[in-house]
Amino acid sequence: MPADIIINAKNVVKTYDMGAVKVHALNGVDFELKKGEFVSIMGPSGSGKTTLLDVLSVLLRPTSGEVFINKKPISKMDDNELAKIRGKTIGFVFQTFNLINRLSAKENVMMPLWFQGVPKSDRENRAEKILFDVGLADRINHKPSELSGGQRQRVAVARALAVDPEIIVADEPTGNLDSVSGEQIMQLIKDLHKNGKTILMVTHEEELAQNAGRIVRLRDGKIVATDVVKKKEINVY
Amino acid sequence: MVYLETFSVAFRNICNQKLRSYLTLFGIVIGIAAIVSLIGIVQGLQGFITGELQALGMNSIFVEPGSEMGMTTAIGRTLEENDLDIIRRIPGVKDATGLWETSVTMKYKDQEAEVLLIGMEPDKAFMLEDMGYIDIIEGREFKSTDKYVIGLYSDFAEETFDSPIQIRESVEINGKKFRVIAISKPNSFASSFGMSNMVLVTKGAVKELFEAEEPVELIATIEDGADIKAVQEEIDKELEKAHGTKDFYTMTSENLLAGADAILGLVGLVVFVIAGISLIVGGIGIMNTMLMAVMERTREIGIMKAIGASSNLVLFLFLIEAGLIGLVGGAIGIIIGSGIGALASFAASLAGFPFNALPSLELIAGALIFSLVIGMVSGWIPARRAANMDPVEALRFE
Ligand SMILES: Nc1ncnc2c1ncn2[C@@H]1O[C@H](COP(=O)(O)OP(=O)(O)O)[C@@H](O)[C@H]1O
Ligand SMILES: [Mg+2]
């Protein structure tokens, strides 16, 4: 495989055993993500988008098949090593924000830096700078409950960026936002891509998916199509 | 670095915990309070008794009538004045003296009181002074020529009758007038065992007035460097030979100490059973609190793991939180236990046992470490549960 492939999935199957029934969330998916790419995952509800994203971001182990992160197979790694990969190379943005409610915006952003062993004063400086970059300079000490949905998602983006990961993974990042905030978040993600981040985004809105360079279409746990998006401007990569 | 930070995060987390979860601290608070107060009291008593017995002299051997070790107040007479000569001849014995004791009624200004007359040998009074039995603060020493004179302990002199007895006044015993020639500091050892009514006279007075020819109790001191056990055994042997039977027993401060330790050890055992039960209850309480916390914070755990917290770190964080909860319970328990100890000291000093039941620094440190460990042990299962949580499942948790 070429050198610039960061995530590579081979014949990934994910089956949820619900006792009487088995739910086949993923049915043999092959996927590659190259450094600097922006890929959208599309599909109807229940088609396995979230499951695929979780597997690709090593949050979830596949039932069978293999996922390689920078060419290393994750089946050979224990949970602590997977946590390390997530903490270092992947930044997560969730549909439901998933901020810790009793912590301030700054403390939420500082948390992944703690797991990387960054000293406290550096963590504070870094968190303040990123919150400034995402336009929340005046909301640093606010709790999530004191922020609007759009602001919360920007805190989440800031948290994803804290450790300066290679990849940003976003699962319907605008799904819980009004259209104005949604556009702002989308713009933020596009800027990140422009600045060199690799982006993997789940959405069920065609218009948002078109922001990517490539769209992977899922149905019933299978990739049914891969579209290359034609664009006037050329990617940095 | 990553793990060090856990302590301050854990501290913040337990500060954020709901008040109700602290109700489960009750068990550990009671357990630690029981340990701290009761061990403090036992140690205080131990220190007190050791101090008193050491004042009596670690070089003294007491010979008492009867065959059982104990605090004899009933006066038996199986010892003889001649026994003193036998004892004085035994190698290693420095000196020996006897006490001629009898219970009598003392009259002072129309009032009467029961007292225990202690008749001693004036030329051996220094032995009693060395042992702290007598410490004259007013008046003079006894002389061999003294007959109807008496020495009083200051607490007795002040408190027995409506008006305090003054030096050089007289009291009446058996129709004879005794002049008070000496006032001594209280003998705290005797008064702690309820013998606060001792008065001091010469052996001559007891012999003459009460026809008590023989001493009730003998005291021997040993030479520096002599083996007290060996001397004690020799006294046992020689006196038994002279008496034909073993109608007496000997004891040393060490024997008394061992007896006291055995009793205190038993008290300690009871303490540990009580404390152990409340600590088990306390541990279950902490486990319950932590299980609730893990459940309530499922999403938070999912978030932490998703953004890079290792299972080990999550395990460590919850263990530290449980340990800190234990520590908080322990600290409250120590405060309560110290309060009980202070009350006990106060009550005891009123009752004439001036001892310190406050916990030592070692006891406090031990109790803190112990409560931390209990917390962490109780937190093990909840922490494992948190650490093993699947991040995706945890994030889906409502
Ligand atoms: N933890 C789970 N347990 C059981 N079934 C699950 C679980 N997670 C997802 N599924 C099922 O797997 C399928 C794919 O789900 P998901 O990946 O969330 O789809 P999407 O994100 O495209 O809506 C659905 O049928 C869903 O019900
Ligand atoms: Mg989904």
Side-chain angles (χ1 to χ4, degrees), chain B residues 115-190:
Chain B
V115 298
L116 182 63
L117 271 194
I118 309 278
M120 44 158 201
E121 300 178 300
D123 55 334
K124 302 292 184 194
F126 70 90
M127 288 175 68
L128 302 178
E129 284 171 12
D130 287 350
M131 290 190 295
Y133 259 148
I134 305 176
D135 185 355
I136 294 174
I137 47 179
E138 214 182 329
R140 63 166 176 85
E141 311 263 337
F142 284 84
K143 287 187 293 213
S144 298
T145 51
D146 283 336
K147 206 150 206 190
Y148 298 121
V149 299
I150 192 164
L152 303 176
Y153 289 107
S154 60
D155 51 347
F156 176 91
E158 282 160 23
E159 292 160 16
T160 309
F161 300 103
D162 286 348
S163 62
I165 307 172
Q166 305 292 339
I167 190 118
R168 284 184 289 278
E169 285 191 304
S170 287
V171 294
E172 198 183 305
I173 296 170
N174 234 23
K176 281 268 187 289
K177 287 229 180 292
F178 280 72
R179 208 159 60 86
V180 178
I181 57 147
I183 300 284
S184 166
K185 260 193 197 160
N187 177 353
S188 60
F189 183 66

Side-chain angles (χ1 to χ4, degrees), chain B residues 6 39 56 64 114 204 241 286 327 398:
Chain B
T6 313
I39 292 184
L56 276 186
E64 311 278 346
E114 287 298 312
K241 210 159 65 184
I286 292 180
L327 210 55
E398 292 307 320

Side-chain angles (χ1 to χ4, degrees), chain A residues 16 18 23-25 43-52 171-172 202, chain B residues 392-393 396:
Chain A
Y16 290 106
M18 305 298 285
V23 181
H24 301 285
S45 181
S47 58
K49 304 182 295 294
T50 296
T51 306
L52 178 59
D171 190 354
E172 310 210 27
V202 163
Chain B
V392 173
E393 291 291 327
R396 287 163 62 98

Side-chain angles (χ1 to χ4, degrees), chain A residues 7 31 33 39 41 53 56 167-170 198-202:
Chain A
I7 302 178
F31 179 84
L33 182 67
V39 176
I41 300 172
L53 196 74
L56 294 175
I167 312 162
I168 298 292
V169 163
T198 307
I199 311 278
L200 189 56
M201 180 180 77
V202 163

Side-chain angles (χ1 to χ4, degrees), chain A residues 87-89 113 126 130 159-167 197:
Chain A
K88 243 187 172 141
T89 55
L113 293 164
R126 173 99 183 125
I130 301 175
R159 181 180 64 186
L161 290 171
V163 300
D164 196 18
E166 279 181 87
I167 312 162
K197 293 276 184 241

Side-chain angles (χ1 to χ4, degrees), chain B residues 302-314:
Chain B
I303 294 169
M304 286 176 67
K305 294 188 87 166
I307 65 175
S310 65
S311 302
N312 290 344
L313 184 71
V314 174

